Amino acid sequence: QVQLVESGGGLVQAGGSLRLSCAVSGSIGSINTMAWYRQAPGKQRELVASITGAGNTNYADSVKGRFTISRDNAKITVYLQMDSLKDEDTAVYYCNAAVRARGTAIARPYWGQGTQVTVSS
């Protein structure tokens, strides 16, 4: 069994910063791409940022220059540093990882439970 546990969400004023963390645990064989998604009320879930095992990153245009994704492979944790937060960043943020469980041959996506980020103006 593989689990993703997020932390770091909360309420912040516009212009402020938050750092999200997502720790992966369980029967892990290998992990490839790790990512953060978000879903605002009434909207579809969207990709915010992703990072490959080699450290290559990709960002949604709406967060470029404000958010930074990183990972610590030793701690099996992915982070999302969010700066210059705006009202429109308010959403539930979900961690996602492509994990090959130990004893299996194919990686599949796993999701965290989500953490609420609320930006007030």
Side-chain angles (χ1 to χ4, degrees):
Q1 189 72 7
V2 174
Q3 293 182 325
L4 277 64
V5 178
E6 298 126 337
S7 61
L11 174 65
V12 63
Q13 287 191 331
S17 298
L18 279 176
R19 189 195 196 204
L20 305 182
S21 300
C22 173
V24 185
S25 63
S27 183
I28 301 167
S30 62
I31 301 178
N32 192 359
T33 299
M34 304 179 81
W36 288 95
Y37 286 75
R38 68 186 180 188
Q39 187 166 19
K43 295 187 178 181
Q44 290 188 330
R45 190 173 297 189
E46 63 174 357
L47 176 66
V48 176
S50 64
I51 184 168
T52 68
N56 297 312
T57 59
N58 180 55
Y59 296 92
D61 288 343
S62 59
V63 306
K64 281 181 181 176
R66 300 188 298 120
F67 291 10
T68 303
I69 189 170
S70 61
R71 63 193 284 172
D72 184 330
N73 290 326
K75 295 182 179 179
I76 321 178
T77 300
V78 62
Y79 304 96
L80 185 68
Q81 177 67 40
M82 304 185 293
D83 299 317
S84 301
L85 283 160
K86 304 176 180 179
D87 291 352
E88 51 263 44
D89 295 319
T90 294
V92 178
Y93 284 70
Y94 297 91
C95 175
N96 170 275
V99 180
R100 182 182 62 78
R102 198 171 296 157
T104 66
I106 299 174
R108 73 172 187 87
Y110 289 84
W111 292 90
Q113 79 285 357
T115 185
Q116 177 70 46
V117 172
T118 303
V119 183
S120 65
S121 55

